[in-house]
């Protein structure tokens, strides 16, 4: 893009219609706050500076985006969208160029659309360019009123006459403006309207009155300009964004058996030839390798999954790392800090937490491995439990390479099981086991001859 481009993002309103304690622009769509999507768009367009206008929930918003290159402007009292833009004058004092105005509650706009708005703005030499859309049901939006010389003004739903309410071209709330000139125009805007607010939309009429050029650029796909004011619109926008993200994954070579029932957050990456069944949820900072198979009900957050990993139905994985060629589940629970080196198998009802497993180690059934360091080629029998918590502290269990753990073993941590050793089934292991030993810790069996037969006979007589 040619001249310097700054971006103002309006995000100070309360969002009353959301009926929420959370500021509207922090409500997430596909795992990212609404405002986060808008900021990402501004960054993609190389806007500098990016100035979000905040007011309601300002501290919470600042905290959420701490560390990002943003220059917040405060609008202490929400007196309208026009007043909100005026509040950025201090931050943009030295800025001379084009100003892209985005709304924190319009998160689906594509950068291509904004680029063509910018191009049209530059080519026409306009002072104000507004992005419009044609809607079958324009209810609630500001309407674009055109005259012989193009756009004359914008009228809000609450101020519109019956005839104006029938206009289907709406204001998306997105503009390109010439700065700093726009601030002079804004000062002439009054608040004598149905809501008693300083409307940014009145800048159109103000520019026209001053004899300046105004253009309107209509988006092709109206859906991307939708504003979110309530939870119905939030769900609708989420559905649209999800469809867009899912399409990208399919274009990248990922098979989604039912894209409408696949929930992948923004920022997740998946390599080609992975197959995802319906009802899968993937969120946070997650990367998934190629040729994986994710069955229904799999839920993954903030994890790295290698290649050819088979996650069977109902498995939950968070903050974990799964190496190549692992088979997990069904119904396994990999909690934070699980690290599988590769070729591991964790079967049904296996739970892990802060557990590392070396290559080819496996736990095929009904097991809890917490605070455990497990070497290579270890076989953990059915029903094994690491007793890692003594009520006060957590302790580690170390199991070295090539150990065979018999079924129904408890390891009372802290302890180390030496390389190549074997644990007899049903053992409660409380002390270290030396390498290559057999450890067996259970009471000896006693057989009472004929006892059961005698008991049966007695019961019959009664
Ligand atoms: C606004 C437009 C309307 C347009 C619609 C598109 C005005 C007067 N109306 O209406 O023409 O069709 O967007 O979605 O501009 N905000 C502030 N400070 C304020 C008021 C609002 O920062 O004092 C922010 C809000 O947080 C929100 C944005 O501005 O992100 C739009 O405000 P909102 O109240 O949602 O306006 P709409 O009624 O949707
Ligand atoms: Ca709105």
């Amino acid at each position: 893009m040619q001249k310097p481009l700054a971006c103002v993002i309006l995000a100070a309103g309360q969002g009353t219609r959301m009926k929420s304690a959370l500021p509207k622009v922090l409500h997430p769509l596909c795992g990212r706050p609404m405002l986060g999507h808008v900021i990402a768009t501004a960054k993609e367009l190389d806007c500098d500076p990016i100035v979000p206008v905040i007011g309601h929930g300002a501290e919470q918003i600042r905290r959420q985006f701490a560390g990002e290159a943003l220059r917040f402007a405060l609008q202490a009292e929400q007196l309208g969208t026009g007043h909100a833009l005026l509040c950025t004058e201090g931050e943009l004092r030295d800025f001379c160029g084009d100003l892209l105005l985005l709304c924190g509650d319009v998160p689906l706009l594509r950068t291509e659309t904004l680029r063509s708005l910018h191009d049209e703005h530059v080519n026409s030499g306009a002072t104000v360019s507004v992005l419009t859309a044609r809607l079958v049901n324009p209810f609630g939006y500001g309407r674009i009123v055109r005259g012989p010389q193009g756009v004359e003004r914008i009228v809000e739903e609450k101020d519109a006459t019956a005839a104006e309410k029938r206009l289907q071209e709406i204001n998306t709330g997105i503009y390109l403006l010439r700065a700093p000139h726009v601030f002079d125009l804004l000062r002439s805007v009054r608040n004598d309207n149905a809501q008693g607010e300083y409307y940014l939309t009145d800048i159109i009429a103000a520019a026209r009155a001053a004899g300046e050029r105004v253009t309107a650029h209509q988006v092709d796909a109206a859906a991307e300009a939708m504003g979110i004011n309530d939870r119905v619109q939030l769900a609708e926008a989420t559905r649209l964004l999800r469809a867009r993200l899912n399409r990208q994954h399919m274009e990248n070579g990922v098979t989604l058996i039912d894209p409408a029932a696949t929930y992948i957050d923004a920022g997740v990456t998946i390599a080609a030839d992975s197959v995802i069944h319906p009802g899968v949820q993937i969120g946070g900072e997650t990367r998934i390798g190629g040729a994986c198979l994710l069955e229904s009900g799999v839920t993954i957050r903030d994890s790295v999954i290698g290649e050819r990993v088979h996650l069977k139905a109902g498995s939950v994985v968070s903050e974990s790392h799964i190496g190549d060629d692992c088979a997990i589940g069904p119904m396994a629970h990999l909690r934070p800090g699980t690290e599988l080196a590769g070729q591991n198998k964790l079967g049904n009802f296996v739970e892990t937490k802060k557990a590392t497993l070396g290559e080819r180690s496996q736990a095929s059934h009904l097991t809890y491995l917490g605070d455990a360091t497990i070497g290579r080629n270890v076989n953990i029998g059915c029903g094994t439990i690491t007793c890692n918590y003594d009520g006060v502290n957590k302790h580690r269990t170390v199991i070295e390479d090539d150990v065979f753990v018999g079924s129904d073993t408890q390891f009372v941590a802290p302890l180390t099981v030496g390389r190549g050793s074997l644990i007899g089934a049903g053992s409660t292991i409380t002390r270290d086991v030396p390498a290559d030993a057999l450890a067996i810790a259970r009471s000896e069996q006693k057989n009472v001859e004929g006892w059961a037969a005698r008991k049966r006979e007695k019961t019959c007589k009664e």
Side-chain angles (χ1 to χ4, degrees), residues 10-13 17 24-25 53 75 78-81 84 103-106 140-142 154 156 171-173 175 199-201 227 229:
L10 302 189
R17 289 164 278 183
K24 174 166 80 173
V25 294
V53 184
Q75 185 193 26
Q78 283 78 58
L79 302 178
T81 47
C103 283
D105 65 348
V106 182
Y141 288 94
I154 297 175
E156 290 302 294
N171 170 29
T172 65
Y175 314 80
Y199 291 165
L200 178 53
T201 46
N229 299 309

Side-chain angles (χ1 to χ4, degrees), residues 410-416 427-433 441:
Q410 301 95 56
F411 291 108
V412 182
L415 55 78
T416 296
S427 292
T428 300
I429 302 295
T430 55
R431 286 181 284 126
D432 288 354
V433 178

Side-chain angles (χ1 to χ4, degrees), residues 288-418:
I288 297 179
C292 288
L293 173 60
L294 277 56
E295 293 180 0
S296 293
V298 162
T299 301
I300 307 173
R301 284 209 67 77
D302 297 311
S303 295
V304 178
I305 316 284
E307 316 238 306
R308 297 172 302 278
V309 171
H310 185 180
L311 286 166
K312 298 180 192 174
S315 296
V316 176
V317 179
S318 40
E319 296 172 46
S320 292
H321 189 299
I322 301 179
D324 298 342
D325 300 294
C326 289
I328 310 293
M331 265 83 72
H333 189 185
L334 278 59
R335 293 168 50 207
T338 298
E339 307 265 341
L340 307 183
Q343 294 174 262
N344 303 96
K345 182 179 174 215
L346 298 182
N348 47 202
F349 307 107
V350 171
E351 175 181 344
T352 57
K353 185 219 69 172
K354 287 190 185 153
T356 64
L357 274 76
E359 280 155 26
R360 290 177 301 282
S361 288
Q362 50 180 308
S364 298
H365 341 259
L366 304 162
T367 288
Y368 173 58
L369 301 172
D371 301 297
T373 305
I374 297 167
R376 281 188 257 180
N377 300 314
V378 171
N379 185 82
I380 306 276
C382 174
T384 296
I385 296 170
T386 53
C387 309
N388 58 327
Y389 186 49
D390 61 12
V392 182
N393 294 308
K394 301 275 171 72
H395 302 282
R396 266 202 110 62
T397 300
V398 177
I399 302 175
E400 295 179 353
D401 296 349
D402 305 311
V403 168
F404 183 94
V405 178
S407 296
D408 193 27
T409 294
Q410 301 95 56
F411 291 108
V412 182
L415 55 78
T416 296
V417 180

Side-chain angles (χ1 to χ4, degrees), residues 73-131:
L74 189 69
Q75 185 193 26
E77 235 187 312
Q78 283 78 58
L79 302 178
T81 47
H83 176 255
L85 177 55
L86 261 184
C87 292
T88 66
E89 200 176 6
E91 288 299 330
L92 293 170
R93 200 175 304 116
D94 305 321
F95 180 78
C96 182
D98 289 322
L99 188 65
L100 171 64
L101 187 124
L102 300 176
C103 283
D105 65 348
V106 182
L108 299 184
L109 283 167
R110 291 173 313 134
T111 49
E112 293 91 315
T113 305
L114 296 171
R115 281 205 179 95
S116 41
L117 171 69
H118 189 215
D119 288 346
E120 191 159 325
H121 177 74
V122 171
N123 295 337
S124 65
T127 299
V128 179
S129 302
V130 57
L131 186 69

